[in-house]
Amino acid sequence: MVCECQWGLTSILLGGIVVVAAGAFSFFPVVLQLFKYDWYIMLCWAWFLLGASVLSFGCIWEICGCQPQGRWAKSREEDAPVDDIASAPTPYIMIA
């Protein structure tokens, strides 16, 4: 797999940012009594719902483990022998 996309983590971060931004824009009509237009409040709710759905998608994606293993997922410890006897690495010989 060439693309190492992290859909779950990216969705969690972007969804959280959108939710916080929707809350910041909702601050104006709720607290300051500015922009008390129906369309503005509907847009704030729409952005909040979009962010909440993206955030929940990312959480579900990460919890269910839907992310496929990439090429960097395997560690060197997986290739260790079964008898668990450690051996020194092969010395490097420089050829001049």
Side-chain angles (χ1 to χ4, degrees):
M1 180 170 146
V2 176
C3 180
E4 298 289 334
C5 301
Q6 297 290 323
W7 287 100
L9 184 62
T10 304
S11 297
I12 290 171
L13 291 175
L14 289 180
I17 290 171
V18 170
V19 167
V20 169
F25 281 102
S26 297
F27 173 80
F28 295 107
V30 173
V31 177
L32 299 179
Q33 302 300 320
L34 297 172
F35 307 123
K36 298 227 18 141
Y37 306 113
D38 289 336
W39 60 269
Y40 185 84
I41 295 170
M42 292 288 277
L43 279 176
C44 289
W45 274 106
W47 280 106
F48 172 77
L49 291 174
L50 176 70
S53 63
V54 170
L55 179 69
S56 61
F57 166 76
C59 290
I60 291 171
W61 188 269
E62 286 292 326
I63 289 171
C64 292
C66 297
Q67 183 70 30
Q69 282 192 350
R71 58 185 153 182
W72 310 112
K74 293 183 180 178
S75 63
R76 284 186 253 158
E77 287 80 20
E78 287 183 7
D79 298 332
V82 180
D83 56 358
D84 293 333
I85 297 175
S87 61
T90 307
Y92 179 74
I93 301 172
M94 185 171 178
I95 301 173

Coordinates of all heavy atoms in Angstrom, one line a residue:
M1 N 0.8 -1.2 0.0 CA 0.0 0.0 0.0 C 0.9 1.2 0.0 O 1.7 1.5 0.9 CB -0.9 0.0 1.2 CG -1.8 1.1 1.4 SD -3.0 0.7 2.7 CE -3.2 2.3 3.3
V2 N 0.8 2.1 -1.0 CA 1.6 3.2 -1.1 C 1.2 4.3 -0.2 O 2.0 5.0 0.5 CB 1.6 3.7 -2.6 CG1 2.4 5.0 -2.7 CG2 2.1 2.6 -3.5
C3 N -0.1 4.6 -0.1 CA -0.6 5.7 0.8 C -0.7 5.2 2.2 O -1.3 4.2 2.5 CB -2.0 6.1 0.3 SG -2.7 7.4 1.2
E4 N 0.0 5.9 3.1 CA -0.1 5.6 4.5 C -1.1 6.5 5.2 O -0.8 7.1 6.2 CB 1.3 5.8 5.1 CG 2.3 4.8 4.6 CD 2.1 3.4 5.0 OE1 1.5 3.1 6.0 OE2 2.5 2.5 4.2
C5 N -2.3 6.7 4.6 CA -3.3 7.6 5.1 C -3.8 7.1 6.5 O -4.1 5.9 6.7 CB -4.5 7.7 4.2 SG -4.0 8.3 2.6
Q6 N -4.0 8.0 7.4 CA -4.5 7.8 8.7 C -5.9 8.4 8.8 O -6.1 9.5 9.4 CB -3.6 8.3 9.8 CG -2.2 7.8 9.8 CD -2.2 6.3 10.3 OE1 -3.0 6.0 11.2 NE2 -1.4 5.5 9.7
W7 N -6.9 7.7 8.3 CA -8.2 8.2 8.2 C -8.8 8.4 9.6 O -9.5 9.4 9.8 CB -9.1 7.3 7.4 CG -8.9 7.3 6.0 CD1 -8.1 6.4 5.3 CD2 -9.3 8.3 5.1 NE1 -8.0 6.8 4.0 CE2 -8.7 8.0 3.8 CE3 -10.0 9.5 5.2 CZ2 -9.0 8.7 2.7 CZ3 -10.2 10.2 4.0 CH2 -9.7 9.9 2.8
G8 N -8.6 7.5 10.5 CA -9.2 7.7 11.9 C -8.6 8.9 12.6 O -9.3 9.7 13.1
L9 N -7.3 9.0 12.7 CA -6.6 10.1 13.4 C -6.9 11.4 12.7 O -7.2 12.4 13.4 CB -5.1 9.8 13.5 CG -4.3 10.8 14.2 CD1 -4.7 10.8 15.7 CD2 -2.8 10.5 14.1
T10 N -6.9 11.5 11.4 CA -7.2 12.7 10.7 C -8.6 13.1 10.9 O -8.9 14.3 11.2 CB -6.9 12.5 9.2 OG1 -5.6 12.1 9.0 CG2 -7.1 13.8 8.5
S11 N -9.5 12.2 10.9 CA -11.0 12.5 11.2 C -11.2 13.0 12.6 O -12.0 13.9 12.8 CB -11.8 11.3 10.9 OG -11.7 10.9 9.6
I12 N -10.5 12.4 13.6 CA -10.6 12.9 14.9 C -10.1 14.3 15.1 O -10.8 15.2 15.7 CB -9.9 11.9 15.9 CG1 -10.6 10.6 16.0 CG2 -9.7 12.5 17.3 CD1 -9.8 9.5 16.7
L13 N -9.0 14.6 14.5 CA -8.4 15.9 14.7 C -9.2 17.0 13.9 O -9.6 18.0 14.5 CB -7.0 16.0 14.1 CG -6.0 15.2 15.0 CD1 -4.6 15.2 14.3 CD2 -5.9 15.8 16.4
L14 N -9.6 16.7 12.7 CA -10.4 17.7 11.9 C -11.8 17.8 12.4 O -12.3 19.0 12.4 CB -10.4 17.3 10.4 CG -9.1 17.5 9.7 CD1 -9.2 17.0 8.2 CD2 -8.6 18.9 9.7
G15 N -12.4 16.8 12.9 CA -13.7 16.8 13.5 C -13.7 17.7 14.7 O -14.6 18.5 15.0
G16 N -12.7 17.5 15.5 CA -12.6 18.3 16.8 C -12.4 19.8 16.5 O -13.0 20.6 17.1
I17 N -11.6 20.1 15.4 CA -11.4 21.5 15.1 C -12.6 22.1 14.6 O -13.0 23.3 14.9 CB -10.2 21.6 14.0 CG1 -8.9 21.2 14.7 CG2 -10.2 22.9 13.4 CD1 -7.8 21.1 13.7
V18 N -13.4 21.4 13.8 CA -14.7 21.9 13.2 C -15.7 22.1 14.4 O -16.4 23.2 14.4 CB -15.2 21.0 12.1 CG1 -16.6 21.4 11.7 CG2 -14.3 21.0 10.9
V19 N -15.7 21.2 15.3 CA -16.7 21.4 16.5 C -16.3 22.6 17.3 O -17.1 23.4 17.7 CB -16.7 20.1 17.3 CG1 -17.4 20.3 18.7 CG2 -17.4 19.0 16.6
V20 N -15.0 22.8 17.5 CA -14.5 23.9 18.3 C -14.8 25.2 17.5 O -15.2 26.2 18.1 CB -13.0 23.8 18.7 CG1 -12.5 25.1 19.2 CG2 -12.9 22.7 19.7
A21 N -14.6 25.2 16.2 CA -14.9 26.4 15.4 C -16.4 26.7 15.4 O -16.7 27.9 15.5 CB -14.3 26.2 14.0
A22 N -17.2 25.7 15.3 CA -18.6 26.0 15.3 C -19.1 26.5 16.7 O -19.9 27.4 16.8 CB -19.4 24.7 15.1
G23 N -18.4 26.1 17.8 CA -18.7 26.6 19.1 C -18.3 28.1 19.2 O -18.9 28.9 19.8
A24 N -17.1 28.4 18.6 CA -16.6 29.8 18.6 C -17.5 30.7 17.9 O -17.8 31.8 18.3 CB -15.2 29.8 18.1
F25 N -18.0 30.3 16.7 CA -18.9 31.1 16.0 C -20.3 31.2 16.6 O -21.1 32.1 16.4 CB -19.1 30.6 14.5 CG -17.9 31.0 13.7 CD1 -16.9 30.1 13.3 CD2 -17.8 32.3 13.2 CE1 -15.8 30.5 12.6 CE2 -16.7 32.7 12.4 CZ -15.7 31.8 12.1
S26 N -20.7 30.2 17.4 CA -22.0 30.2 18.1 C -21.9 31.2 19.3 O -22.9 31.5 19.9 CB -22.4 28.8 18.6 OG -22.6 28.0 17.5
F27 N -20.7 31.5 19.7 CA -20.5 32.4 20.9 C -21.2 33.8 20.6 O -21.7 34.4 21.5 CB -19.0 32.6 21.1 CG -18.7 33.6 22.1 CD1 -18.8 33.3 23.5 CD2 -18.2 34.9 21.8 CE1 -18.4 34.3 24.4 CE2 -17.9 35.8 22.7 CZ -18.0 35.5 24.0
F28 N -21.1 34.3 19.3 CA -21.6 35.6 19.0 C -23.1 35.7 19.2 O -23.6 36.7 19.9 CB -21.2 36.0 17.6 CG -19.7 36.1 17.4 CD1 -19.0 35.2 16.8 CD2 -19.1 37.2 18.0 CE1 -17.6 35.3 16.6 CE2 -17.7 37.4 17.8 CZ -17.0 36.4 17.2
P29 N -23.9 34.8 18.7 CA -25.4 35.0 18.9 C -25.8 34.6 20.3 O -26.8 35.2 20.8 CB -26.1 34.1 17.8 CG -25.1 33.1 17.5 CD -23.7 33.8 17.7
V30 N -25.1 33.7 20.9 CA -25.6 33.3 22.3 C -25.2 34.2 23.4 O -26.0 34.6 24.2 CB -25.0 31.9 22.5 CG1 -25.4 31.4 24.0 CG2 -25.6 30.9 21.6
V31 N -23.9 34.7 23.4 CA -23.4 35.5 24.5 C -23.5 37.0 24.2 O -24.0 37.8 25.0 CB -22.0 35.1 24.9 CG1 -21.4 35.9 25.9 CG2 -22.0 33.6 25.3
L32 N -23.0 37.4 23.0 CA -23.0 38.8 22.7 C -24.2 39.3 22.0 O -24.3 40.5 21.8 CB -21.8 39.0 21.7 CG -20.4 38.6 22.3 CD1 -19.3 38.9 21.3 CD2 -20.1 39.4 23.6
Q33 N -25.2 38.5 21.7 CA -26.4 38.9 21.1 C -26.2 39.6 19.7 O -26.9 40.4 19.3 CB -27.2 39.8 22.0 CG -27.6 39.2 23.3 CD -28.4 37.9 23.2 OE1 -29.3 37.8 22.4 NE2 -28.1 36.9 24.1
L34 N -25.1 39.1 19.0 CA -24.9 39.6 17.7 C -25.2 38.5 16.7 O -25.2 37.3 17.0 CB -23.4 40.0 17.5 CG -22.9 41.1 18.4 CD1 -21.4 41.2 18.3 CD2 -23.5 42.4 18.0
F35 N -25.4 38.9 15.5 CA -25.7 37.9 14.4 C -26.9 37.0 14.8 O -26.8 35.7 14.6 CB -24.5 37.1 14.0 CG -23.3 37.9 13.7 CD1 -22.1 37.7 14.4 CD2 -23.3 38.8 12.7 CE1 -21.0 38.5 14.1 CE2 -22.2 39.6 12.4 CZ -21.0 39.4 13.1
K36 N -27.9 37.5 15.2 CA -29.1 36.6 15.7 C -30.0 36.4 14.5 O -31.2 36.4 14.6 CB -29.8 37.3 16.8 CG -29.0 37.5 18.0 CD -29.6 37.2 19.3 CE -30.7 36.3 19.4 NZ -30.7 35.4 20.5
Y37 N -29.4 36.0 13.4 CA -30.1 35.6 12.2 C -30.4 34.1 12.2 O -29.6 33.3 12.6 CB -29.4 36.0 10.9 CG -28.9 37.4 10.9 CD1 -27.6 37.8 10.9 CD2 -29.9 38.5 10.8 CE1 -27.2 39.1 10.9 CE2 -29.5 39.8 10.7 CZ -28.1 40.1 10.8 OH -27.7 41.4 10.8
D38 N -31.6 33.7 11.7 CA -31.9 32.3 11.7 C -30.9 31.5 10.8 O -30.5 30.4 11.2 CB -33.3 32.1 11.2 CG -34.3 32.6 12.2 OD1 -34.0 32.6 13.4 OD2 -35.5 32.9 11.8
W39 N -30.5 32.1 9.7 CA -29.6 31.3 8.8 C -28.2 31.2 9.4 O -27.6 30.2 9.2 CB -29.5 32.0 7.4 CG -29.0 33.4 7.4 CD1 -29.8 34.6 7.6 CD2 -27.7 33.8 7.4 NE1 -28.9 35.7 7.6 CE2 -27.6 35.2 7.5 CE3 -26.5 33.2 7.3 CZ2 -26.5 36.0 7.5 CZ3 -25.3 33.9 7.2 CH2 -25.3 35.3 7.3
Y40 N -27.8 32.2 10.2 CA -26.5 32.1 10.8 C -26.5 31.0 11.9 O -25.5 30.2 12.0 CB -26.2 33.4 11.5 CG -24.8 33.5 12.1 CD1 -23.7 33.8 11.3 CD2 -24.6 33.3 13.4 CE1 -22.4 33.8 11.8 CE2 -23.3 33.3 14.0 CZ -22.2 33.6 13.2 OH -21.0 33.6 13.7
I41 N -27.6 30.9 12.7 CA -27.7 29.9 13.7 C -27.8 28.5 13.1 O -27.2 27.5 13.6 CB -28.9 30.2 14.6 CG1 -28.6 31.5 15.4 CG2 -29.1 29.1 15.6 CD1 -29.7 32.1 16.2
M42 N -28.5 28.4 12.0 CA -28.6 27.1 11.3 C -27.3 26.7 10.7 O -26.9 25.5 10.8 CB -29.6 27.2 10.1 CG -31.1 27.4 10.6 SD -31.7 26.0 11.3 CE -32.3 25.1 9.9
L43 N -26.5 27.6 10.2 CA -25.1 27.3 9.7 C -24.2 26.8 10.9 O -23.4 25.9 10.7 CB -24.5 28.5 9.0 CG -24.9 28.7 7.6 CD1 -24.3 30.0 7.0 CD2 -24.5 27.5 6.7
C44 N -24.3 27.5 12.0 CA -23.6 27.0 13.2 C -23.9 25.6 13.6 O -23.0 24.8 13.8 CB -23.8 28.0 14.4 SG -23.0 29.6 14.2
W45 N -25.2 25.3 13.6 CA -25.7 23.9 13.9 C -25.2 22.9 12.8 O -24.8 21.8 13.1 CB -27.2 23.9 14.0 CG -27.6 24.2 15.4 CD1 -28.2 25.3 15.8 CD2 -27.5 23.4 16.6 NE1 -28.5 25.3 17.2 CE2 -28.0 24.1 17.7 CE3 -26.9 22.1 16.8 CZ2 -28.1 23.6 19.0 CZ3 -27.0 21.6 18.1 CH2 -27.5 22.4 19.2
A46 N -25.3 23.3 11.6 CA -24.8 22.5 10.5 C -23.3 22.1 10.6 O -22.9 21.0 10.4 CB -25.2 23.1 9.1
W47 N -22.5 23.2 10.8 CA -21.1 22.9 11.0 C -20.8 22.1 12.2 O -19.9 21.2 12.2 CB -20.3 24.2 11.1 CG -20.1 24.8 9.7 CD1 -20.7 25.9 9.2 CD2 -19.2 24.4 8.7 NE1 -20.3 26.2 7.9 CE2 -19.3 25.2 7.6 CE3 -18.3 23.3 8.7 CZ2 -18.6 25.1 6.5 CZ3 -17.5 23.2 7.5 CH2 -17.7 24.0 6.4
F48 N -21.5 22.3 13.3 CA -21.4 21.5 14.5 C -21.7 20.0 14.2 O -21.0 19.1 14.6 CB -22.2 22.0 15.7 CG -22.2 21.1 16.8 CD1 -21.1 21.0 17.7 CD2 -23.3 20.2 17.1 CE1 -21.1 20.2 18.8 CE2 -23.3 19.4 18.2 CZ -22.2 19.3 19.0
L49 N -22.8 19.8 13.5 CA -23.2 18.4 13.2 C -22.2 17.7 12.3 O -21.9 16.5 12.4 CB -24.6 18.4 12.6 CG -25.7 18.7 13.6 CD1 -27.1 18.8 12.9 CD2 -25.8 17.7 14.8
L50 N -21.7 18.5 11.3 CA -20.7 17.9 10.4 C -19.4 17.5 11.2 O -18.9 16.5 11.0 CB -20.4 18.9 9.3 CG -19.2 18.5 8.4 CD1 -19.7 17.4 7.5 CD2 -18.8 19.7 7.5
G51 N -19.0 18.4 12.0 CA -17.8 18.1 12.8 C -18.0 17.0 13.8 O -17.1 16.1 14.0
A52 N -19.2 16.9 14.4 CA -19.5 15.8 15.3 C -19.5 14.5 14.6 O -19.1 13.4 15.1 CB -20.8 16.1 16.1
S53 N -20.1 14.5 13.4 CA -20.2 13.2 12.6 C -18.8 12.8 12.1 O -18.5 11.6 12.2 CB -21.1 13.4 11.4 OG -20.6 14.3 10.5
V54 N -17.9 13.7 11.7 CA -16.6 13.4 11.3 C -15.8 12.9 12.5 O -15.0 11.9 12.4 CB -15.9 14.6 10.6 CG1 -14.4 14.3 10.4 CG2 -16.6 14.9 9.3
L55 N -15.9 13.5 13.7 CA -15.3 13.1 14.9 C -15.7 11.7 15.3 O -14.9 10.9 15.6 CB -15.5 14.1 16.0 CG -14.9 13.8 17.4 CD1 -13.4 14.0 17.3 CD2 -15.5 14.7 18.4
S56 N -17.0 11.4 15.3 CA -17.5 10.1 15.7 C -17.0 9.0 14.7 O -16.7 7.9 15.0 CB -19.0 10.1 15.8 OG -19.6 10.5 14.6
F57 N -17.0 9.4 13.4 CA -16.5 8.5 12.4 C -15.0 8.1 12.7 O -14.6 6.9 12.6 CB -16.6 9.1 11.0 CG -15.8 8.3 9.9 CD1 -16.2 7.1 9.4 CD2 -14.6 8.8 9.5 CE1 -15.5 6.4 8.5 CE2 -13.8 8.2 8.5 CZ -14.3 7.0 8.0
G58 N -14.2 9.1 13.0 CA -12.8 8.8 13.3 C -12.6 8.0 14.5 O -11.8 7.1 14.6
C59 N -13.5 8.2 15.6 CA -13.4 7.4 16.8 C -13.8 6.0 16.5 O -13.1 5.0 17.0 CB -14.3 8.0 17.9 SG -13.7 9.6 18.5
I60 N -14.8 5.8 15.7 CA -15.3 4.4 15.4 C -14.2 3.7 14.5 O -13.9 2.5 14.7 CB -16.7 4.5 14.7 CG1 -17.7 4.9 15.7 CG2 -17.0 3.1 14.1 CD1 -19.1 5.2 15.1
W61 N -13.6 4.4 13.6 CA -12.6 3.9 12.7 C -11.4 3.4 13.5 O -10.9 2.3 13.3 CB -12.2 4.9 11.7 CG -11.3 4.5 10.6 CD1 -9.9 4.4 10.7 CD2 -11.7 3.9 9.4 NE1 -9.4 3.9 9.5 CE2 -10.5 3.6 8.7 CE3 -12.9 3.7 8.8 CZ2 -10.5 3.1 7.4 CZ3 -12.9 3.1 7.5 CH2 -11.7 2.8 6.8
E62 N -11.0 4.2 14.5 CA -9.9 3.8 15.4 C -10.2 2.7 16.3 O -9.4 1.8 16.6 CB -9.3 5.0 16.1 CG -8.6 6.0 15.3 CD -7.3 5.5 14.8 OE1 -6.6 4.7 15.4 OE2 -6.9 5.8 13.6
I63 N -11.4 2.7 16.9 CA -11.8 1.7 17.9 C -11.9 0.3 17.2 O -11.5 -0.7 17.7 CB -13.1 2.1 18.6 CG1 -12.8 3.2 19.6 CG2 -13.7 0.9 19.4 CD1 -14.0 3.9 20.1
C64 N -12.5 0.3 16.0 CA -12.7 -1.0 15.3 C -11.5 -1.5 14.6 O -11.4 -2.6 14.2 CB -13.8 -0.8 14.2 SG -15.4 -0.5 14.9
G65 N -10.4 -0.7 14.6 CA -9.2 -1.1 13.9 C -9.3 -1.3 12.5 O -8.7 -2.3 11.9
C66 N -10.0 -0.4 11.8 CA -10.2 -0.6 10.3 C -8.9 -0.1 9.5 O -8.9 -0.4 8.3 CB -11.4 0.3 9.9 SG -12.9 -0.2 10.6
Q67 N -8.0 0.5 10.2 CA -6.8 0.9 9.5 C -5.9 -0.3 9.0 O -5.5 -1.0 9.9 CB -6.0 1.9 10.4 CG -4.8 2.5 9.7 CD -5.1 3.5 8.6 OE1 -6.1 4.1 8.7 NE2 -4.3 3.6 7.6
P68 N -5.7 -0.4 7.7 CA -4.8 -1.6 7.3 C -3.4 -1.3 7.7 O -2.9 -0.2 7.8 CB -5.0 -1.6 5.8 CG -5.4 -0.2 5.4 CD -6.1 0.3 6.6
Q69 N -2.6 -2.4 8.0 CA -1.2 -2.2 8.3 C -0.5 -1.8 7.1 O -0.6 -2.3 6.0 CB -0.7 -3.5 8.8 CG -1.0 -3.8 10.2 CD -0.2 -5.0 10.8 OE1 0.5 -5.7 10.1 NE2 -0.3 -5.2 12.1
G70 N 0.4 -0.8 7.3 CA 1.2 -0.3 6.2 C 2.5 -1.0 6.2 O 2.8 -2.0 6.8
R71 N 3.4 -0.5 5.3 CA 4.7 -1.1 5.1 C 5.6 -0.9 6.3 O 6.6 -1.6 6.5 CB 5.3 -0.6 3.9 CG 5.5 0.9 3.9 CD 6.0 1.4 2.6 NE 5.6 2.8 2.5 CZ 5.8 3.5 1.4 NH1 6.5 3.1 0.4 NH2 5.3 4.8 1.4
W72 N 5.3 0.1 7.2 CA 6.2 0.4 8.3 C 5.6 -0.2 9.6 O 6.2 0.0 10.7 CB 6.3 1.9 8.5 CG 6.6 2.6 7.3 CD1 5.8 3.5 6.6 CD2 7.9 2.6 6.6 NE1 6.5 4.0 5.5 CE2 7.7 3.4 5.5 CE3 9.1 1.9 6.8 CZ2 8.8 3.6 4.5 CZ3 10.1 2.0 5.8 CH2 9.9 2.9 4.8
A73 N 4.6 -1.0 9.5 CA 3.9 -1.5 10.8 C 4.7 -2.7 11.4 O 4.7 -2.9 12.6 CB 2.5 -2.0 10.4
K74 N 5.5 -3.4 10.6 CA 6.2 -4.6 11.1 C 7.5 -4.1 11.7 O 8.2 -3.3 11.2 CB 6.6 -5.5 10.0 CG 5.3 -6.2 9.4 CD 5.7 -7.2 8.4 CE 4.5 -7.9 7.8 NZ 4.8 -8.8 6.8
S75 N 7.8 -4.6 12.9 CA 9.0 -4.2 13.6 C 10.0 -5.3 13.5 O 9.8 -6.4 13.0 CB 8.7 -4.0 15.1 OG 8.2 -5.2 15.7
R76 N 11.2 -5.0 13.8 CA 12.3 -5.9 13.7 C 12.2 -7.1 14.8 O 12.7 -8.1 14.6 CB 13.7 -5.3 13.9 CG 14.1 -4.5 12.7 CD 15.5 -4.0 12.9 NE 15.3 -2.5 13.2 CZ 16.2 -1.8 13.8 NH1 17.3 -2.3 14.2 NH2 16.0 -0.5 13.9
E77 N 11.5 -6.8 15.8 CA 11.3 -7.8 16.9 C 10.4 -8.9 16.4 O 10.5 -10.0 17.0 CB 10.7 -7.2 18.1 CG 11.6 -6.3 18.9 CD 11.8 -4.9 18.3 OE1 10.8 -4.5 17.5 OE2 12.8 -4.2 18.5
E78 N 9.6 -8.8 15.4 CA 8.8 -9.9 14.9 C 9.7 -10.9 14.2 O 9.3 -12.1 14.2 CB 7.8 -9.4 13.9 CG 6.6 -8.6 14.5 CD 5.6 -8.2 13.5 OE1 5.7 -8.6 12.3 OE2 4.7 -7.4 13.8
D79 N 10.8 -10.6 13.7 CA 11.7 -11.5 13.0 C 12.6 -12.2 14.0 O 13.5 -13.0 13.6 CB 12.5 -10.8 12.0 CG 11.6 -10.2 10.9 OD1 10.5 -10.7 10.7 OD2 12.0 -9.2 10.3
A80 N 12.5 -12.0 15.3 CA 13.4 -12.6 16.3 C 13.1 -14.1 16.3 O 12.0 -14.6 16.1 CB 13.2 -12.0 17.6
P81 N 14.2 -14.9 16.6 CA 14.0 -16.3 16.7 C 13.1 -16.7 17.9 O 12.9 -16.0 18.8 CB 15.4 -16.9 16.9 CG 16.2 -15.7 17.2 CD 15.5 -14.5 16.8
V82 N 12.5 -17.9 17.7 CA 11.5 -18.3 18.7 C 12.2 -18.6 20.1 O 11.6 -18.4 21.1 CB 10.8 -19.6 18.2 CG1 9.8 -20.1 19.2 CG2 10.1 -19.3 16.9
D83 N 13.4 -19.1 20.1 CA 14.1 -19.5 21.3 C 14.5 -18.3 22.2 O 15.0 -18.5 23.3 CB 15.3 -20.4 21.1 CG 16.3 -19.8 20.1 OD1 16.0 -18.6 19.7 OD2 17.3 -20.4 19.9
D84 N 14.3 -17.1 21.7 CA 14.6 -15.9 22.5 C 16.0 -15.7 22.9 O 16.3 -15.1 24.0 CB 13.7 -15.7 23.7 CG 12.2 -15.5 23.3 OD1 12.0 -15.0 22.2 OD2 11.3 -15.9 24.0
I85 N 17.0 -16.3 22.2 CA 18.4 -16.1 22.5 C 18.9 -14.9 21.7 O 18.8 -14.9 20.5 CB 19.2 -17.4 22.2 CG1 18.7 -18.5 23.0 CG2 20.7 -17.1 22.4 CD1 19.4 -19.8 22.7
A86 N 19.4 -13.9 22.4 CA 19.9 -12.7 21.7 C 21.2 -13.0 21.1 O 22.1 -13.7 21.7 CB 19.9 -11.6 22.7
S87 N 21.5 -12.4 19.9 CA 22.8 -12.6 19.3 C 23.3 -11.2 18.9 O 22.5 -10.3 18.7 CB 22.7 -13.5 18.1 OG 21.8 -12.9 17.1
A88 N 24.6 -11.1 18.9 CA 25.2 -9.8 18.5 C 25.0 -9.6 17.0 O 24.9 -10.5 16.2 CB 26.7 -9.9 18.8
P89 N 24.9 -8.3 16.6 CA 24.7 -8.0 15.2 C 26.0 -8.4 14.4 O 27.1 -8.4 14.9 CB 24.5 -6.5 15.2 CG 25.0 -6.0 16.4 CD 24.9 -7.1 17.4
T90 N 25.8 -8.7 13.2 CA 26.9 -9.0 12.3 C 27.8 -7.8 12.1 O 27.4 -6.7 11.8 CB 26.4 -9.5 10.9 OG1 25.5 -10.5 11.1 CG2 27.6 -9.9 10.0
P91 N 29.1 -7.9 12.3 CA 30.0 -6.8 12.2 C 30.1 -6.3 10.7 O 30.1 -7.1 9.8 CB 31.4 -7.2 12.7 CG 31.3 -8.7 12.7 CD 29.9 -9.1 12.8
Y92 N 30.3 -5.0 10.6 CA 30.3 -4.4 9.3 C 31.8 -4.3 8.9 O 32.6 -3.8 9.6 CB 29.7 -3.0 9.2 CG 29.8 -2.3 7.9 CD1 29.0 -2.7 6.9 CD2 30.7 -1.3 7.7 CE1 29.0 -2.1 5.6 CE2 30.8 -0.7 6.5 CZ 29.9 -1.1 5.4 OH 30.0 -0.5 4.2
I93 N 32.2 -4.8 7.7 CA 33.5 -4.8 7.2 C 33.6 -3.8 6.0 O 32.9 -4.0 5.0 CB 34.0 -6.2 6.8 CG1 33.9 -7.2 7.9 CG2 35.4 -6.1 6.2 CD1 34.2 -8.6 7.6
M94 N 34.4 -2.8 6.2 CA 34.5 -1.8 5.2 C 35.6 -2.2 4.1 O 36.7 -2.6 4.5 CB 34.9 -0.5 5.8 CG 35.0 0.6 4.8 SD 35.2 2.2 5.7 CE 35.2 3.3 4.4
I95 N 35.2 -2.2 2.9 CA 36.1 -2.7 1.8 C 36.6 -1.4 1.2 O 35.9 -0.5 0.8 CB 35.3 -3.5 0.8 CG1 34.7 -4.7 1.4 CG2 36.2 -3.8 -0.4 CD1 33.8 -5.5 0.5
A96 N 38.0 -1.3 1.2 CA 38.6 -0.1 0.7 C 38.9 -0.2 -0.8 O 39.0 -1.1 -1.5 CB 39.9 0.2 1.4

